[in-house]
Structure formats: structure tokens, C-alpha cells
Amino acid sequence: RRHTMQALNELANVYFDRGQFSRAGDMYQEAATVSREVGDQNAEARAIGNLASVEYEQGHVGEALRHDDEALKIRRAIGDRRSIAFSLSNMGESAADLGRLDRAEKMYAEARDIATEIGDKGELSYALSGLASVEAVRLRREIGEAGGEAEARVALATVLVERGDRQQARQLLSGLDTAAGPDTLALAAVVRARIALDEGQVPAAR
């Protein structure tokens, strides 16, 4: 049965990579069932998490969230902290897509804390990026006007600089639309100067 489980997962991965999500989903579901029968909780959680990815790719975000929650419960029982952080970040992404920003923030924050504790830079970066995106959505909602995205980027970059996350702030500012209003562009220049000063650089004169 274990060989069957492995074969199902490998075949499902092939279908997934080809974009044949319905067939991949059937295989992952069967792999989860076999994993449960043989008592392999790690493999079961992985198959269910993959099933969540299938649902997400098909636009079934609510179903993806449900499957990731199921996988998370198994991973919590096992105590696999890296996988717990992975599931939490995936759930944060789905919750944010559904507009459930408070839940998304909670998921990302727990993922961030776990990733920090275990020293996993990859998961930490994913969680921090998710938290930043949630905050950006909140800012856009608060602004609620044309050109609000540019203003939200600058506002979020300001927050990130205060937190010491200059790299993330720089990325937000680099994608700033040059059509943004003069006040927004001026504020962006101030934030860039602050980043340069914090890094011990002298901003170039304009």
C-alpha cells in the first residue's frame, strides 16, 4: 500500500504540473485515503495540502482553505512545526483572497512566529510578505480613491521602514507608478532617503 501511495502522489504531481487539476485532485484524494489506511500522517497531511493547492488553482478558495485547515490539524498533532508554518501561510493567503483579513493576519502572524523560532528563513519571508500584503489591502480600503494603490504602497513602505524591513519597503517603492500624484512621489522620495540613511548611505542630490 505504501508503494501505491507513493505512485499516486507522483502521478498526481505530474497531472498538477500539466494543469490537469481535476485528475490531480482525484489522485491526491486517493493518496490521502491510502495514507490514512497505512497510518502515515505526514503523507496524509501532504496529500490533503496538495489537494488544497488543486482547489486554489481552480479558483475554489473556500475549499482550499478547508483542506489546508484539515492538513493543519494533522500537522499540529504530529508537531511538525515547519509544515505547520507552511499550512498557516497557505491559509493566510486563501483567507486574504476571501476578504477575511483578520483571519489572514492571524494565520500569517503565527506562521511568522514559528518560522522565527525554528530559523526557517524561507517560511519567515513568506509569512512577512503575507502580513505586508494584508496591511496594504487595509490601507487601500481606507484610502478608497483613485490612485489609492500608490499611496498605500508608500504608506506601507513607511511602516516597513519603521519596523526595520528596508528590503521589503524598497521593493514596494520600486514598483511605484510614476503616474502617482506629486505629493505621493515626494513622500516616496523621503522614504527612500530614510532607507539610504538607515543603511549608512548618503542620498544623491537631485
PDB file of all heavy atoms in Angstrom, residues 13 55 64 103 140 150 155:
ATOM      1  N   ASN A  13       1.298  14.627  -9.026  1.00  0.00           N
ATOM      2  CA  ASN A  13       2.199  15.762  -9.248  1.00  0.00           C
ATOM      3  C   ASN A  13       2.383  16.043 -10.745  1.00  0.00           C
ATOM      4  O   ASN A  13       2.452  17.201 -11.166  1.00  0.00           O
ATOM      5  CB  ASN A  13       3.564  15.488  -8.614  1.00  0.00           C
ATOM      6  CG  ASN A  13       3.509  15.508  -7.100  1.00  0.00           C
ATOM      7  OD1 ASN A  13       2.597  16.078  -6.500  1.00  0.00           O
ATOM      8  ND2 ASN A  13       4.497  14.870  -6.465  1.00  0.00           N
ATOM      9  N   GLU A  55      -7.477  22.857  -5.466  1.00  0.00           N
ATOM     10  CA  GLU A  55      -8.691  23.661  -5.348  1.00  0.00           C
ATOM     11  C   GLU A  55      -8.378  25.141  -5.553  1.00  0.00           C
ATOM     12  O   GLU A  55      -9.126  25.867  -6.212  1.00  0.00           O
ATOM     13  CB  GLU A  55      -9.343  23.441  -3.978  1.00  0.00           C
ATOM     14  CG  GLU A  55      -9.835  22.020  -3.723  1.00  0.00           C
ATOM     15  CD  GLU A  55     -11.033  21.636  -4.581  1.00  0.00           C
ATOM     16  OE1 GLU A  55     -11.538  22.480  -5.342  1.00  0.00           O
ATOM     17  OE2 GLU A  55     -11.479  20.476  -4.496  1.00  0.00           O
ATOM     18  N   ALA A  64     -10.110  25.255  -0.762  1.00  0.00           N
ATOM     19  CA  ALA A  64      -8.670  25.205  -0.474  1.00  0.00           C
ATOM     20  C   ALA A  64      -8.419  25.495   1.003  1.00  0.00           C
ATOM     21  O   ALA A  64      -7.619  24.813   1.658  1.00  0.00           O
ATOM     22  CB  ALA A  64      -7.930  26.219  -1.345  1.00  0.00           C
ATOM     23  N   ARG A 103      -8.508  37.100   9.909  1.00  0.00           N
ATOM     24  CA  ARG A 103      -8.075  35.705   9.990  1.00  0.00           C
ATOM     25  C   ARG A 103      -6.752  35.516   9.257  1.00  0.00           C
ATOM     26  O   ARG A 103      -5.870  34.807   9.741  1.00  0.00           O
ATOM     27  CB  ARG A 103      -9.138  34.769   9.397  1.00  0.00           C
ATOM     28  CG  ARG A 103      -8.765  33.299   9.566  1.00  0.00           C
ATOM     29  CD  ARG A 103      -9.812  32.358   9.055  1.00  0.00           C
ATOM     30  NE  ARG A 103      -9.456  30.978   9.366  1.00  0.00           N
ATOM     31  CZ  ARG A 103     -10.118  29.920   8.910  1.00  0.00           C
ATOM     32  NH1 ARG A 103     -11.179  30.068   8.143  1.00  0.00           N
ATOM     33  NH2 ARG A 103      -9.711  28.702   9.226  1.00  0.00           N
ATOM     34  N   ARG A 140      -5.455  50.341   1.313  1.00  0.00           N
ATOM     35  CA  ARG A 140      -6.198  50.686   0.097  1.00  0.00           C
ATOM     36  C   ARG A 140      -7.677  50.880   0.406  1.00  0.00           C
ATOM     37  O   ARG A 140      -8.323  51.762  -0.138  1.00  0.00           O
ATOM     38  CB  ARG A 140      -6.012  49.602  -0.972  1.00  0.00           C
ATOM     39  CG  ARG A 140      -4.655  49.649  -1.651  1.00  0.00           C
ATOM     40  CD  ARG A 140      -4.673  48.895  -2.964  1.00  0.00           C
ATOM     41  NE  ARG A 140      -4.918  47.480  -2.790  1.00  0.00           N
ATOM     42  CZ  ARG A 140      -3.970  46.580  -2.601  1.00  0.00           C
ATOM     43  NH1 ARG A 140      -2.708  46.954  -2.525  1.00  0.00           N
ATOM     44  NH2 ARG A 140      -4.275  45.310  -2.479  1.00  0.00           N
ATOM     45  N   ALA A 150      -1.033  53.546  -5.125  1.00  0.00           N
ATOM     46  CA  ALA A 150       0.290  54.169  -4.992  1.00  0.00           C
ATOM     47  C   ALA A 150       0.465  54.733  -3.593  1.00  0.00           C
ATOM     48  O   ALA A 150       1.518  54.571  -2.970  1.00  0.00           O
ATOM     49  CB  ALA A 150       0.459  55.266  -6.033  1.00  0.00           C
ATOM     50  N   ALA A 155       2.611  54.360   2.030  1.00  0.00           N
ATOM     51  CA  ALA A 155       2.262  54.282   3.448  1.00  0.00           C
ATOM     52  C   ALA A 155       2.777  52.991   4.063  1.00  0.00           C
ATOM     53  O   ALA A 155       3.329  52.983   5.176  1.00  0.00           O
ATOM     54  CB  ALA A 155       0.746  54.381   3.615  1.00  0.00           C
TER      55      ALA A 155
END
